[in-house]
């Protein structure tokens, strides 16, 4: 049913106003001379019409209590500001969250780098220690080789010094010279755990092979090892050429031998200082 402006003006009601379209409400507002903005919503214009009718005592004031509350321009502005503030707050929260995540990422990265540095330092330390151990072992092996070389040289010089004409022309290779180097290979292997047996065996061989007794001390020392070699090295040159004196220390407890070594070393040191 088409809208009848005159009929509404003759008997206005809230029910009738609620049923009108925006274009029809605009006609009512213009009829009453109510000022409004064309871009305003239907509810806003209807609110203005109701307020006018109440002010003119055409409708009771109670109709405003049940009428739809139409936001004023200030309300819209406040709402807009509130939305912008909420948006800004959310943006700031998002920014803070990004910063927090970035700090946590940087902290994890620093921890990872720190762990890698510690692992690298530990690895380098272990490599240095391993290298130092290898160098130490190398030095010890070199020192041992040098020691063995010196001992060998010492024995060879003793053997060379001991090569003299024997009293028995039948000894050796028939040349009249006792060649110790030809007989060293027959000397039995030194037995540190059974010294007496070793000396008895050596003396039997010496008798059987007719070795000159004054060469026994040179022959027997060629097979000394370990502490036995140290005991022999501690003897004086004169004692080292006398077989009985060479044999004597080995017939006593080893602690006595060690004391002899210490005593002879002290004697050697005193002689060295005396000639310095």
């Amino acid at each position: 049913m088409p809208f009848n402006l005159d009929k509404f003006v003759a008997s206005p009601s809230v029910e009738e106003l609620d049923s009108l379209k925006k274009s029809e409400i605009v006609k009512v507002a213009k009829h009453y001379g109510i000022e409004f903005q064309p871009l305003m919503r239907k509810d806003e214009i209807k609110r203005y019409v109701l307020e006018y009718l109440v002010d003119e005592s055409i409708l009771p004031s109670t109709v405003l209590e049940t009428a739809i509350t139409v936001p004023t321009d200030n309300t819209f502005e406040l709402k807009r500001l509130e939305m912008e503030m909420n948006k800004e707050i959310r943006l700031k929260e998002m920014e803070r969250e990004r910063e927090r995540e970035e700090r946590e990422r940087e902290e994890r990265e620093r921890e990872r780098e720190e762990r890698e540095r510690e692992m690298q330092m530990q690895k380098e330390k272990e490599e240095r220690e391993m290298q130092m151990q290898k160098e130490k072992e190398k030095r010890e092996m070199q020192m041992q080789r040098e020691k063995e070389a010196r001992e060998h040289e010492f024995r060879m010089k003793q053997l060379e010094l001991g090569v003299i004409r024997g009293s028995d022309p039948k000894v050796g290779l028939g040349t009249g010279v006792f060649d110790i180097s030809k007989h060293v290979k027959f000397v039995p292997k030194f037995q540190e755990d059974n010294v007496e047996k070793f000396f008895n065996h050596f003396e039997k061989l010496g008798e059987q092979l007719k070795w000159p007794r004054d060469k026994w001390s040179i022959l027997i020392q060629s097979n000394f090892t370990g502490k036995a070699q140290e005991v022999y090295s501690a003897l004086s040159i004169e004692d080292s050429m006398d077989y009985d004196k060479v044999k004597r220390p080995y017939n006593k407890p080893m602690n006595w031998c060690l004391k002899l070594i210490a005593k002879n070393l002290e004697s050697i040191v005193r002689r060295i200082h005396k000639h310095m």
Side-chain angles (χ1 to χ4, degrees):
M1 182 177 181
F3 170 64
N4 189 327
L5 178 61
D6 293 335
K7 183 179 177 180
F8 176 83
V9 171
S11 180
S13 66
V14 175
E15 292 77 10
E16 181 73 17
L17 189 63
D18 288 340
S19 65
L20 297 180
K21 299 176 182 179
K22 178 180 179 180
S23 60
E24 294 170 345
I25 295 176
V26 168
K27 290 180 181 179
V28 173
K30 289 181 178 179
H31 172 78
Y32 289 118
I34 300 171
E35 295 182 355
F36 63 91
Q37 298 295 327
L39 296 180
M40 292 177 66
R41 295 183 304 170
K42 170 186 171 181
D43 291 338
E44 295 174 324
I45 301 173
K46 185 175 70 171
R47 178 75 181 185
Y48 284 358
V49 173
L50 287 173
E51 290 177 348
Y52 175 83
L53 295 176
V54 170
D55 289 341
E56 295 295 325
S57 299
I58 299 174
L59 292 175
S61 60
T62 55
V63 299
L64 294 177
E65 297 175 1
T66 59
I68 298 174
T69 302
V70 179
T72 62
D73 292 344
N74 289 338
T75 302
F76 277 110
E77 181 65 18
L78 291 174
K79 187 68 175 176
R80 184 184 66 79
L81 292 174
E82 181 181 0
M83 292 175 63
E84 290 180 354
M85 289 176 62
N86 291 336
K87 181 180 179 180
E88 185 177 354
I89 290 173
R90 287 194 299 272
L91 290 174
K92 289 182 177 180
E93 289 176 348
M94 292 173 63
E95 182 65 23
R96 285 196 295 269
E97 182 66 19
R98 283 195 296 269
E99 292 175 354
R100 184 184 64 79
E101 293 176 350
E102 181 65 18
R103 287 195 299 271
E104 291 178 351
R105 186 191 65 79
E106 292 175 352
E107 183 64 23
R108 289 194 299 270
E109 184 66 18
R110 284 194 296 270
E111 291 176 353
R112 183 187 64 79
E113 293 175 352
E114 183 64 24
R115 287 194 300 271
E116 290 179 351
R117 281 195 297 270
E118 291 177 354
M119 291 174 63
Q120 182 64 25
M121 290 174 63
Q122 181 65 24
K123 180 180 178 181
E124 292 174 354
K125 179 182 177 181
E126 293 174 353
E127 289 176 350
R128 287 194 301 271
E129 291 176 350
M130 186 179 296
Q131 183 63 26
M132 290 173 63
Q133 181 63 26
K134 288 181 178 179
E135 292 176 355
K136 179 182 177 181
E137 293 174 355
K138 184 178 180 181
R139 287 194 300 270
E140 290 176 350
M141 291 176 63
Q142 181 65 24
M143 291 172 63
Q144 182 63 26
R145 286 195 294 268
E146 292 175 356
K147 178 182 178 182
E148 293 174 354
R150 287 194 299 268
E151 290 175 351
H152 177 72
E153 182 180 2
F154 176 75
R155 289 196 295 270
M156 291 302 100
K157 286 184 178 180
Q158 286 182 322
L159 291 174
E160 291 173 2
L161 291 173
V163 178
I164 60 174
R165 290 186 179 275
S167 58
D168 186 356
K170 295 180 181 180
V171 177
L173 299 177
T175 60
V177 176
F178 182 75
D179 190 348
I180 293 178
S181 62
K182 300 294 185 181
H183 296 267
V184 168
K185 61 184 178 181
F186 297 109
V187 176
K189 184 177 180 181
F190 179 71
Q191 301 179 40
E192 189 171 349
D193 58 342
N194 198 336
V195 177
E196 184 178 357
K197 181 179 178 181
F198 167 73
F199 278 101
N200 290 336
H201 187 190
F202 173 80
E203 290 171 359
K204 287 180 181 179
L205 284 175
E207 296 293 343
Q208 293 171 359
L209 298 177
K210 300 185 182 303
W211 291 338
R213 190 173 179 83
D214 61 347
K215 302 299 183 290
W216 283 18
S217 61
I218 299 175
L219 286 167
I220 198 170
Q221 66 83 31
S222 64
N223 272 15
F224 282 161
T225 59
K227 287 185 171 58
Q229 180 63 47
E230 295 178 8
V231 171
Y232 179 81
S233 300
L235 295 173
S236 64
I237 295 177
E238 294 80 4
D239 290 347
S240 67
M241 301 299 293
D242 188 327
Y243 174 75
D244 292 328
K245 292 182 179 180
V246 169
K247 178 182 177 181
R248 186 181 303 144
Y250 302 97
N251 292 329
K252 298 182 179 182
M254 186 54 67
N255 61 347
W256 183 89
C257 296
L258 296 177
K259 290 180 181 179
L260 176 63
I261 294 172
K263 180 178 179 181
N264 287 333
L265 287 176
E266 290 177 0
S267 177
I268 292 171
V269 171
R270 283 197 297 269
R271 288 201 297 269
I272 292 173
H273 284 295
K274 183 177 180 181
H275 292 286
M276 288 181 64

